[in-house]
């Protein structure tokens, strides 16, 4: 739902900005139009990411298809960089020497104001969700958005935040052009919007690459998983624990545990499978592999 709201908002804003760019001949409005069309296109990739990443695991993909969400989100981030950042910077550089006045500036301000309301509504929706999830995890909103495996939520959050800042930059650039009569201010606005998009794209590219290559889960999550294992009446201690993301909010868990009691090998294997099935019933757990600990291995503390 977060991505769909962002997509609809970006399409409406992109159309309005394109009309305003044609009517005003403003470099900043051209940059903002390119920004919104890039964002709208990227939301399509994010919708694909959600759909592809939610497919159930099968024989060919025993850990599920969750990592495909990181791939499609990475493509979307490259889209921001190429279609948004590079286009805006190049157009701004080309317009630096121009000295034509902005035509119908009122149109530009009205469109920017409407765009701010639409983008703001989308951002508030993403912000509210991020704050709620951050509170549940005992984290700050910023740390949650940076570290979360929910790649589409992070993309929408950063794209909408960048859109709001970009609108302020565009409005200020047009105003400075009007006040000073120097057209370069409008071009500088376009360049600044492009730089802003480049920074956002680099952040999103880096986070998606980290999850694709393999990144450590937070210490808080590791501790929560460890404590959950020890809360099982069948598990006496944990001597090894490996957790990795195999998709947005999907975990692959490998652990060595010491079962309570002194059951025979056959009974111990059956109990392990029962514990695995109970853990895999959790919403965020994709696959669990448990094995028995060796007596002289040290217990992990959580």
């Amino acid at each position: 739902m977060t991505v769909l709201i962002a997509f609809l908002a970006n399409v409406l804003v992109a159309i309005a900005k394109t009309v305003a760019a044609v009517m005003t001949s403003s470099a900043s409005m051209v940059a903002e139009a390119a920004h919104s069309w890039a964002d709208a296109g990227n939301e399509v990739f994010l919708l694909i990411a959600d759909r592809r990443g939610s497919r159930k695991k099968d024989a060919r993909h025993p850990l599920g298809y969750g990592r495909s969400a990181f791939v499609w989100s990475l493509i979307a981030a490259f889209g921001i960089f190429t279609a948004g950042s590079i286009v805006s910077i190049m157009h701004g550089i080309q317009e630096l020497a121009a000295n034509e006045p902005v035509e119908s500036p009122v149109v530009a301000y009205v469109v920017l104001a409407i765009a701010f309301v639409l983008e703001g509504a989308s951002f508030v929706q993403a912000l509210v969700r991020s704050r709620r999830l951050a509170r549940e995890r005992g984290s700050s909103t910023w740390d949650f958005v940076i570290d979360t495996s929910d790649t589409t939520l992070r993309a929408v959050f950063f794209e909408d935040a960048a859109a709001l800042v970009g609108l302020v930059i565009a409005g200020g650039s047009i105003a400075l052009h009007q006040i000073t009569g120097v057209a370069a201010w409008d071009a500088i606005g376009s360049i600044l919007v492009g730089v802003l998009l480049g920074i956002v794209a680099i952040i999103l590219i880096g986070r998606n690459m980290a999850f694709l290559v393999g990144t450590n889960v937070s210490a808080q999550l590791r501790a929560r998983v460890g404590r959950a294992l020890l809360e099982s009446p069948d598990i006496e201690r944990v001597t090894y624990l490996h957790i990795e993301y195999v998709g947005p909010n999907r975990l692959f868990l490998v652990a060595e545990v010491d079962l309570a009691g002194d059951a025979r090998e056959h009974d111990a294997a059956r109990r392990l499978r029962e514990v695995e099935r109970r853990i895999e019933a959790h919403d965020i757990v994709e696959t669990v592999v448990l094995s028995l600990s060796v007596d002289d291995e040290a217990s992990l503390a959580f």
Side-chain angles (χ1 to χ4, degrees):
M1 182 60 69
T2 302
V3 179
L4 185 58
I5 292 174
F7 172 73
L8 295 175
N10 279 321
V11 169
L12 293 175
V13 170
I15 293 173
K17 286 179 181 178
T18 301
V19 173
V22 172
M23 294 179 65
T24 62
S25 300
S26 166
S28 294
M29 286 305 302
V30 171
E32 278 298 305
H35 178 181
S36 291
W37 283 116
D39 281 354
N42 292 338
E43 305 306 335
V44 174
F45 288 122
L46 295 179
L47 288 169
I48 295 173
D50 277 347
R51 185 176 182 83
R52 295 288 180 87
S54 63
R55 288 187 294 175
K56 300 297 182 181
K57 59 185 177 182
D58 53 33
R60 294 186 61 187
H61 295 83
L63 296 181
Y65 292 80
R67 285 194 177 100
S68 64
F70 301 135
V71 175
W72 285 100
S73 297
L74 182 64
I75 294 172
F78 274 112
I80 297 175
F81 189 77
T82 55
S85 177
I86 293 177
V87 169
S88 298
I89 292 174
M90 290 182 62
H91 182 71
I93 292 173
Q94 291 171 353
E95 294 295 318
L96 277 174
N99 49 22
E100 293 86 359
V102 174
E103 301 174 8
S104 305
V106 175
V107 174
Y109 293 135
V110 170
V111 169
L112 290 174
I114 294 173
F116 196 90
V117 172
L118 293 174
E119 296 282 9
S122 178
F123 177 71
V124 167
Q125 200 269 347
L127 178 61
V128 169
R129 183 182 174 194
S130 297
R131 282 182 172 174
R132 175 174 57 81
L133 294 174
R135 283 196 300 270
E136 292 175 0
R137 290 159 175 76
S139 170
S140 69
T141 302
W142 175 259
D143 288 340
F144 169 77
V145 172
I146 288 292
D147 295 333
T148 181
S149 62
D150 190 340
T151 182
T152 53
L153 176 59
R154 177 172 44 248
V156 171
F157 183 95
F158 273 102
E159 286 179 11
D160 287 345
L164 293 175
V165 176
L167 290 168
V168 173
I169 292 174
S173 299
I174 294 173
L176 286 172
H177 184 174
Q178 275 190 284
I179 294 170
T180 65
V182 179
W185 282 115
D186 195 19
I188 291 172
S190 178
I191 294 171
L192 291 177
V193 169
V195 171
L196 173 66
L197 293 178
I199 293 171
V200 169
I202 290 171
I203 292 173
L204 295 179
I205 289 170
R207 294 309 296 151
N208 283 297
M209 287 183 65
F211 280 102
L212 283 171
V213 173
T215 184
N216 287 333
V217 300
S218 67
Q220 293 84 353
L221 177 57
R222 180 179 173 82
R224 283 169 52 202
V225 171
R227 289 193 295 267
L229 288 172
L230 292 174
E231 287 172 1
S232 171
D234 292 298
I235 296 177
E236 192 169 273
R237 65 195 187 102
V238 178
T239 59
Y240 174 81
L241 180 60
H242 171 78
I243 310 169
E244 66 178 89
Y245 287 105
V246 291
N249 300 316
R250 304 300 294 173
L251 298 176
F252 172 48
L253 190 155
V254 180
E256 291 182 3
V257 300
D258 189 5
L259 294 178
D262 191 18
R264 294 177 301 173
E265 181 179 351
H266 174 76
D267 293 334
R270 185 181 299 278
R271 288 173 64 189
L272 277 178
R273 296 299 175 268
E274 291 173 354
V275 174
E276 287 175 349
R277 283 195 291 271
R278 289 202 300 268
I279 297 173
E280 287 179 348
H282 197 286
D283 290 340
I284 68 169
V285 178
E286 186 70 49
T287 302
V288 177
V289 178
L290 298 180
S291 60
L292 295 176
S293 301
V294 178
D295 290 343
D296 59 357
E297 288 180 330
S299 300
L300 298 179
F302 302 101

